[in-house]
Amino acid sequence: MKTILRALPIFILLMMLIYWVPQIASNSPSEIITQKTKLQEVKKESNSNQSTLLKQDTLPEAGMGEYMGKAIETIQEKYGEPLRIDQTAYGYDWWVYGEDEQDYFQIGVSHEGKITNVFVLGSQLDVSPFQIGMDVTEIYQIAMFYPTFSIDYQEETYMLELSENDLNFHPLIAFENQTFAILMVDRKTNEVNAVRYLDKRSLLQLGVYEIASQTPVPPVKHQDEELNDIYASNHREILEILNNLRQRYEIPELVYSEELSSIADSVFSYQEKLYAADLLEKDNAEVQKQLDEEKSSSEGTFDDDSEIEAFIEEDATTEETQLGDYPPLTSEQIQMKLEMEQVKVADTRVLYFDQSADSTWLTTFWFSLENQRRLLTDPEMKRFGISFRGQEVLLMLDKEAENSE
């Protein structure tokens, strides 16, 4: 009995260490978050077999959702001209209104002047029958959440499948006018941060839910020369939405930093050089192998050095055309480049996402994820920098105060 009593304090101490050490490690001041899933934090088994037997209810359109499908003049009559117009990669432009967390919203306008999207962040705007700041438990009394949606578009049928995470933090709601709304729920507060109204085409092209269909989703078309304008628009919108949400939670706003954005650019460039060097090394090994095979073959040999150089040049040219797409960044690559740039890693937060949708979805989506939300709401962060590459985005925050010039 005495032996058991002596061992009991040691056992309790060990149990406390097992529990607390991982907790302390997870709250390390240095954070680099990379995510390589298709916009779901965890993809769980779908209940589609059960849901397809249910007739899905639709809600009557109301509030800001009533503008869907109407001419842009209906918005102008009430809200006037936008602060600016941002270009997107989805065949519509964002008309940006409002300056703070109470009145910020964006209107997606097609080239024909029709409203295809409405993004509402402002807490004082009408998103009936919901409200910005509404607890998710109250929403259950208004609308049913379904794990699957069947969408007919251009004589094809697409089946959308929502994961458990989708249902909890960004459920999809259908309206009687055949439009939809995505409710963006905050992971910590369980309250609605924003509402995104969108039509069928926009919902499919946004690609935020799993699509089970034999038919390819209608592609998004844009010219390469438009990318810089699109990146600039996304950059402005992400900073605005992020700062509006920080304002909502009484956290100091972030200041844009050219320095941090330049460092983020250099991370992508660094990985591209590593990737090119790795390909070149493999290519040289393959060329040498082919040269050895050619030399040992009785049917063909290289007569002089010029033929060898031509052989290598031809092979390298073929390989060069394959350098357009790069693998996702890794935490190790990011960490290595930050150390090379002499960045104070302990004072820096990095968020990398390799399948970004548009900025309105992406920023509010981050607030539905625990680690990302904690990073973006860190009150000690003062500066913001960002870089884009294709569908990838690399966001950096740090504690440095921007130098006054």
Side-chain angles (χ1 to χ4, degrees):
M1 186 65 181
K2 291 182 178 179
T3 304
I4 294 175
L5 290 175
R6 289 194 192 102
L8 187 59
I10 299 174
F11 175 76
I12 293 173
L13 179 61
L14 287 173
M15 292 301 293
M16 290 177 65
L17 287 173
I18 291 172
Y19 176 78
W20 286 108
V21 167
Q23 297 295 319
I24 295 170
S26 67
N27 292 323
S28 166
S30 174
E31 293 189 62
I32 297 176
I33 297 178
T34 61
Q35 184 159 336
K36 305 178 184 66
T37 60
K38 187 175 180 174
L39 300 180
Q40 273 89 13
E41 186 182 32
V42 179
K43 180 64 182 175
K44 297 193 176 180
E45 186 175 353
S46 171
N47 296 319
S48 59
N49 291 335
Q50 299 176 10
S51 63
T52 51
L53 301 177
L54 299 175
K55 186 180 187 316
Q56 294 178 346
D57 294 330
T58 56
L59 297 178
E61 57 274 15
M64 298 290 285
E66 290 186 325
Y67 290 105
M68 288 292 297
K70 295 183 178 180
I72 186 57
E73 286 78 13
T74 58
I75 284 286
Q76 291 175 299
E77 289 171 3
K78 183 170 183 179
Y79 295 99
E81 295 301 317
L83 297 179
R84 68 173 189 275
I85 297 177
D86 287 346
Q87 191 173 358
T88 79
Y90 297 91
Y92 56 85
D93 294 330
W94 278 125
W95 289 36
V96 181
Y97 289 85
E99 297 180 330
D100 57 43
E101 72 86 22
Q102 294 186 345
D103 64 358
Y104 187 90
F105 70 98
Q106 297 178 200
I107 300 294
V109 184
S110 71
H111 299 318
E112 294 74 33
K114 298 294 183 181
I115 296 174
T116 63
N117 290 256
V118 179
F119 171 74
V120 184
L121 183 76
S123 57
Q124 299 301 312
L125 297 173
D126 183 7
V127 291
S128 302
F130 312 107
Q131 292 179 349
I132 303 298
M134 175 181 281
D135 191 276
V136 71
T137 56
E138 298 178 60
I139 300 174
Y140 296 146
Q141 303 171 22
I142 300 173
M144 286 283 292
F145 289 0
Y146 297 95
T148 61
F149 284 82
S150 179
I151 298 179
D152 296 323
Y153 179 71
Q154 292 186 346
E155 300 182 355
E156 300 289 349
T157 299
Y158 300 86
M159 185 68 70
L160 269 60
E161 298 182 354
L162 279 67
S163 68
E164 183 177 332
N165 191 63
D166 293 327
L167 292 171
N168 288 333
F169 298 104
H170 23 88
L172 186 64
I173 307 295
F175 293 98
E176 293 175 354
N177 62 355
Q178 299 189 41
T179 62
F180 299 86
I182 303 174
L183 308 182
M184 305 306 298
V185 179
D186 187 288
R187 167 71 66 163
K188 183 176 181 180
T189 66
N190 282 322
E191 296 176 350
V192 176
N193 261 339
V195 177
R196 169 73 177 271
Y197 302 93
L198 64 181
D199 59 15
K200 293 180 179 180
R201 177 178 180 272
S202 299
L203 177 59
L204 292 172
Q205 290 189 337
L206 198 60
V208 298
Y209 303 115
E210 290 291 327
I211 299 178
S213 174
Q214 299 285 337
T215 306
V217 174
V220 178
K221 297 180 180 179
H222 60 80
Q223 302 298 321
D224 290 342
E225 55 266 23
E226 297 174 345
L227 282 178
N228 287 337
D229 291 336
I230 293 170
Y231 291 159
S233 297
N234 288 343
H235 155 206
R236 286 191 297 267
E237 291 162 14
I238 288 175
L239 180 59
E240 287 173 347
I241 296 169
L242 177 54
N243 272 339
N244 282 330
L245 288 173
R246 285 172 68 98
Q247 182 188 52
R248 178 171 296 170
Y249 297 119
E250 299 181 348
I251 303 169
E253 295 185 6
L254 299 165
V255 175
Y256 175 68
S257 168
E258 287 281 0
E259 180 186 0
L260 282 183
S261 293
S262 177
I263 293 172
D265 288 339
S266 72
V267 173
F268 281 130
S269 299
Y270 174 68
Q271 188 224 25
E272 290 167 11
K273 291 177 181 178
L274 291 179
Y275 182 61
D278 184 55
L279 277 184
L280 184 59
E281 183 178 350
K282 292 178 180 178
D283 184 60
N284 287 340
E286 183 63 26
V287 168
Q288 187 60 52
K289 179 181 177 182
Q290 293 183 47
L291 283 173
D292 293 341
E293 290 175 354
E294 289 286 348
K295 288 180 179 180
S296 62
S297 171
S298 60
E299 295 182 359
T301 58
F302 292 98
D303 295 331
D304 53 37
D305 290 342
S306 61
E307 291 188 42
I308 296 176
E309 291 175 2
F311 182 83
I312 295 175
E313 183 177 349
E314 179 182 355
D315 192 87
T317 302
T318 303
E319 192 69 49
E320 185 179 355
T321 63
Q322 302 174 7
L323 289 176
D325 297 323
Y326 298 96
L329 282 171
T330 65
S331 298
E332 292 75 17
Q333 290 170 339
I334 297 172
Q335 179 93 11
M336 193 178 301
K337 182 57 179 174
L338 294 184
E339 290 175 355
M340 291 170 61
E341 295 285 339
Q342 297 183 336
V343 172
K344 296 178 181 178
V345 179
D347 295 338
T348 304
R349 306 288 182 266
V350 179
L351 176 53
Y352 168 71
F353 207 77
D354 72 342
Q355 289 191 351
S356 65
D358 70 356
S359 54
T360 60
W361 159 268
L362 189 60
T363 316
T364 48
F365 172 73
W366 281 332
F367 274 74
S368 72
L369 305 176
E370 184 176 356
N371 290 336
Q372 286 81 341
R373 185 196 189 279
R374 179 164 48 84
L375 181 151
L376 295 173
T377 57
D378 188 336
E380 293 187 355
M381 296 297 106
K382 294 183 174 61
R383 297 196 303 172
F384 165 98
I386 195 166
S387 179
F388 298 92
R389 182 178 68 182
Q391 287 293 301
E392 300 168 272
V393 57
L394 183 65
L395 183 150
M396 295 183 63
L397 311 176
D398 73 6
K399 298 180 180 180
E400 294 279 341
E402 191 71 10
N403 295 328
S404 57
E405 296 181 359

